[in-house]
Amino acid sequence: DDGPSKSVTIPILDILKQNNVKATFFVLGSNAERYPEIVKREFDEGHYLASHGYSHVYSQIYASPQSVLDEYNKSVTAIRNAIGEPEYNSHLFRFPGGSNGGKYNDLKQGAKQLLSDNDILSVDWNSLSGDAEKQNPTPEYLMERMKSTSQDKSSLVILMHDAQAKKVTADTLPEIISYLKEQGYEFKSFYDIIK
């Protein structure tokens, strides 16, 4: 979530390539406009590009169900422009802050229906890296959070961030990949899952 950014997304892409792992990037449209070359690289290297909205400003996104759809569409337009594919549509959205709970829960539920009516799925995570839970988490903290929240699950969607301030995510990613492979997990992007 939240990328791309030069200082974090590029190292993440390098690590994913070295490990032959495909990921799903929930892109912010505003960052796609800022760094179209990184979005293009994500796409060209076979990663799935989905929408995380355009602004990440909750009061703006959650003003109405229609504003959620508008944020999705504006983000997808930015992705299309970055990758040079005018027909691209991920049909996949991750609600900033998650799709349930919080101050905007009722509005999110209405937005889910509107998205569904427009052939857009939303997906949440079921495991956390902990990279957004506190200021300056350590790699050890990220590993512990990922291990504790993935325990006894046969399928994982791990919440991780590639925003500028999340260097620890890139630093910890090789260890996360290694651990998950040791546990017998296979890596899939939503290209594989949505088929």
Side-chain angles (χ1 to χ4, degrees), residues 12-105:
I12 284 174
L13 286 169
D14 293 343
I15 293 162
L16 293 173
K17 191 173 194 175
Q18 290 163 4
N19 287 276
N20 194 29
V21 169
K22 301 300 180 207
T24 298
F25 288 87
F26 287 89
V27 175
L28 278 180
S30 57
N31 285 337
E33 288 178 350
R34 192 172 296 123
Y35 303 112
E37 71 285 356
I38 299 174
V39 176
K40 177 82 165 113
R41 179 180 169 191
E42 291 170 342
F43 182 73
D44 288 348
E45 292 183 3
H47 302 290
Y48 197 87
L49 302 177
S51 172
H52 194 46
Y54 182 83
S55 69
H56 215 283
V57 176
Y58 287 16
S59 61
Q60 183 174 317
I61 298 165
Y62 300 127
S64 69
Q66 182 62 47
S67 65
V68 174
L69 180 59
D70 292 345
E71 284 262 339
Y72 172 85
N73 287 327
K74 194 171 180 184
S75 175
V76 168
T77 296
I79 292 168
R80 287 176 179 159
N81 292 339
I83 65 175
E85 298 281 339
E87 301 301 315
Y88 184 83
N89 190 340
S90 68
H91 297 280
L92 189 61
F93 179 71
R94 171 118 71 213
F95 283 81
S99 67
N100 295 300
K103 176 180 176 181
Y104 300 102
N105 186 56

Side-chain angles (χ1 to χ4, degrees), residues 31-184:
N31 285 337
E33 288 178 350
R34 192 172 296 123
Y35 303 112
E37 71 285 356
I38 299 174
V39 176
K40 177 82 165 113
R41 179 180 169 191
E42 291 170 342
F43 182 73
D44 288 348
E45 292 183 3
H47 302 290
Y48 197 87
L49 302 177
S51 172
H52 194 46
Y54 182 83
S55 69
H56 215 283
V57 176
Y58 287 16
S59 61
Q60 183 174 317
I61 298 165
Y62 300 127
S64 69
Q66 182 62 47
S67 65
V68 174
L69 180 59
D70 292 345
E71 284 262 339
Y72 172 85
N73 287 327
K74 194 171 180 184
S75 175
V76 168
T77 296
I79 292 168
R80 287 176 179 159
N81 292 339
I83 65 175
E85 298 281 339
E87 301 301 315
Y88 184 83
N89 190 340
S90 68
H91 297 280
L92 189 61
F93 179 71
R94 171 118 71 213
F95 283 81
S99 67
N100 295 300
K103 176 180 176 181
Y104 300 102
N105 186 56
D106 291 343
L107 186 128
K108 290 176 186 179
Q109 302 321 304
K112 280 184 195 176
Q113 185 59 54
L114 181 59
L115 291 171
S116 178
D117 292 346
N118 284 275
D119 296 321
I120 303 162
L121 300 171
S122 65
V123 64
D124 276 326
W125 55 89
N126 67 355
S127 180
L128 301 166
S129 69
D131 65 356
E133 294 177 355
K134 64 183 195 171
Q135 289 280 41
N136 303 314
T138 63
E140 294 78 19
Y141 181 81
L142 267 59
M143 286 304 298
E144 183 51 43
R145 287 295 288 146
M146 189 273 305
K147 287 177 181 179
S148 69
T149 61
S150 65
Q151 218 165 32
D152 300 323
K153 294 178 181 164
S154 61
S155 180
L156 300 175
V157 177
I158 303 172
L159 178 62
M160 303 175 89
H161 296 83
D162 63 327
Q164 183 103 1
K166 303 301 178 187
K167 185 178 180 306
V168 68
T169 303
D171 293 345
T172 311
L173 187 57
E175 187 177 354
I176 290 172
I177 291 170
S178 177
Y179 172 80
L180 291 170
K181 284 181 176 179
E182 288 169 9
Q183 298 304 305

